[in-house]
Amino acid sequence: MQLKIKSPAKINLGLFILSKREDNYHEILTIFHKIPFYDEIEILENKKLEIDFIKDGKVFQIENNTILRGIIELSKLTGKSFNLKIRVFKRIPIGGGLGGGSSNCGVILKFLNNFYNLKLSKNDLIEISKKIGSDVPFFILNESCAIGRGRGEILEPFNSNLKCFINLFFPNKILSTKEMYEKIKTYDNKEDAERKILNIKKAIEENKLELLKENFYNAFESVLDEELLNYKKTIENLNFDLVFLSGSGSTFVALSKSFKLFSLWIAENS
């Protein structure tokens, strides 16, 4: 057996932080959107479970990575061991706000369930994935988009009809999600957030980029340092339709109705 699967990135089309919870997580409201920018995962039969990550031809390890944690939880539930060599060819930057690690875990859980005919339901896989990370459940879904509530794990899936080019910009900087949340001192109004998220959903479903632009907001942009704010301004000077930080960063996303720079068509296989 030697199989290859694609692990897509996501962007956040709107991200509101509503409160801090008693469990020290934050209550958020967001929309996740898969995009055609992928890690590639190679899966081979092996004598034991091994997981390697490869970037620019160099092999490295990520201790206690999301794939390993997901497989451990899957083994606990099914009683089955998975003797595989999994090689993740990384394109999605670590710490870039594009959900690479969450995607890797989600697509592997779906693959193992189908390949070994484990007969777990979508909800079974979502329950496993919630134990790994707040963004992982989104990658269990077949739909291209979802409104995310709670920590981001309570999902309302839907499909996108957005037609535009997406341009990704990667500053040479990793932003810690934990540290970004710690910088948040004020919270967004829930009613206002709900209204804007529903407008953004409408914009995505009806391909109304101007409506998306009118309602877009990412709470993390309010706590960016001067260097990254200047980086964003430089991108905005290129006259894209909308420029924003994805998730907690550090990737900036620029949407355009016309081709500009290195672009991906947002709907391609996403």
Side-chain angles (χ1 to χ4, degrees):
M1 175 183 72
Q2 182 175 0
L3 298 168
K4 290 183 178 179
I5 57 177
K6 285 182 173 181
S7 178
K10 61 83 184 166
I11 56 175
N12 293 75
L13 290 174
L15 200 163
F16 299 81
I17 303 175
L18 306 180
S19 65
K20 189 168 184 179
R21 298 156 40 132
E22 290 183 2
D23 60 7
N24 282 327
Y25 286 97
H26 287 76
E27 194 77 16
I28 69 166
L29 185 58
T30 189
I31 289 182
F32 301 110
H33 194 309
K34 294 172 189 170
I35 61 171
F37 181 61
Y38 306 96
D39 288 340
E40 189 173 81
I41 303 179
E42 184 180 72
I43 303 165
L44 306 97
E45 288 179 306
N46 204 32
K47 293 180 180 179
K48 63 178 182 178
L49 179 62
E50 294 182 87
I51 304 169
D52 290 336
F53 295 85
I54 298 98
K55 176 74 174 176
D56 299 326
K58 295 180 180 178
V59 178
F60 64 99
Q61 305 298 317
I62 299 176
E63 190 176 343
N64 198 30
N65 61 76
T66 56
I67 296 174
L68 176 61
R69 287 157 52 204
I71 291 177
I72 288 171
E73 292 296 332
L74 190 62
S75 294
K76 285 180 186 177
L77 184 64
T78 62
K80 182 174 177 60
S81 59
F82 301 94
N83 295 325
L84 300 168
K85 185 171 185 66
I86 297 173
R87 307 176 76 212
V88 184
F89 295 86
K90 293 296 293 180
R91 289 182 71 207
I92 303 170
I94 296 169
L98 296 175
S102 297
S103 175
N104 296 164
C105 179
V107 300
I108 285 290
L109 288 175
K110 288 174 69 175
F111 165 80
L112 294 176
N113 186 45
N114 293 330
F115 187 81
Y116 290 101
N117 196 26
L118 300 177
K119 298 181 179 177
L120 297 176
S121 68
K122 179 176 70 175
N123 286 338
D124 291 332
L125 295 178
I126 285 175
E127 287 305 311
I128 292 171
S129 66
K130 284 179 183 178
K131 299 176 182 179
I132 314 305
S134 301
D135 290 354
V136 183
F138 172 63
F139 293 100
I140 301 296
L141 302 177
N142 293 322
E143 289 87 353
S144 57
C145 296
I147 294 176
R149 302 177 187 274
R151 294 185 288 120
E153 86 287 8
I154 301 169
L155 299 169
E156 298 173 27
F158 64 98
N159 281 307
S160 173
N161 194 39
L162 198 58
K163 293 177 174 62
C164 65
F165 290 99
I166 177 171
N167 303 262
L168 303 177
F169 294 85
F170 309 117
N172 188 23
K173 194 166 190 172
I174 293 175
L175 295 181
S176 159
T177 299
K178 181 176 181 291
E179 290 177 6
M180 290 295 283
Y181 271 109
E182 287 172 351
K183 291 181 180 180
I184 299 293
K185 304 302 180 186
T186 59
Y187 299 108
D188 300 312
N189 178 273
K190 186 174 181 180
E191 288 184 5
D192 187 49
E194 290 279 0
R195 178 180 57 80
K196 288 186 176 180
I197 281 291
L198 289 178
N199 282 338
I200 293 170
K201 179 176 183 284
K202 179 181 173 71
I204 295 168
E205 290 180 316
E206 299 181 8
N207 188 31
K208 295 180 176 178
L209 196 54
E210 195 59 39
L211 181 62
L212 172 58
K213 185 176 180 179
E214 288 170 7
N215 289 275
F216 186 87
Y217 170 84
N218 182 338
F220 288 114
E221 292 193 8
S222 67
V223 295
L224 287 176
D225 61 28
E226 186 176 358
E227 179 187 359
L228 287 176
L229 286 173
N230 288 335
Y231 188 90
K232 183 187 177 188
K233 286 177 185 175
T234 300
I235 301 168
E236 287 174 333
N237 288 339
L238 299 171
N239 293 319
F240 291 106
D241 291 293
L242 177 62
V243 178
F244 56 92
L245 187 72
S246 181
S248 59
S250 59
T251 303
F252 284 92
V253 181
L255 302 184
S256 173
K257 293 177 185 175
S258 59
F259 181 87
K260 292 180 181 177
L261 301 181
F262 173 71
S263 296
L264 302 157
W265 184 244
I266 197 167
E268 178 194 336
N269 300 321
S270 61

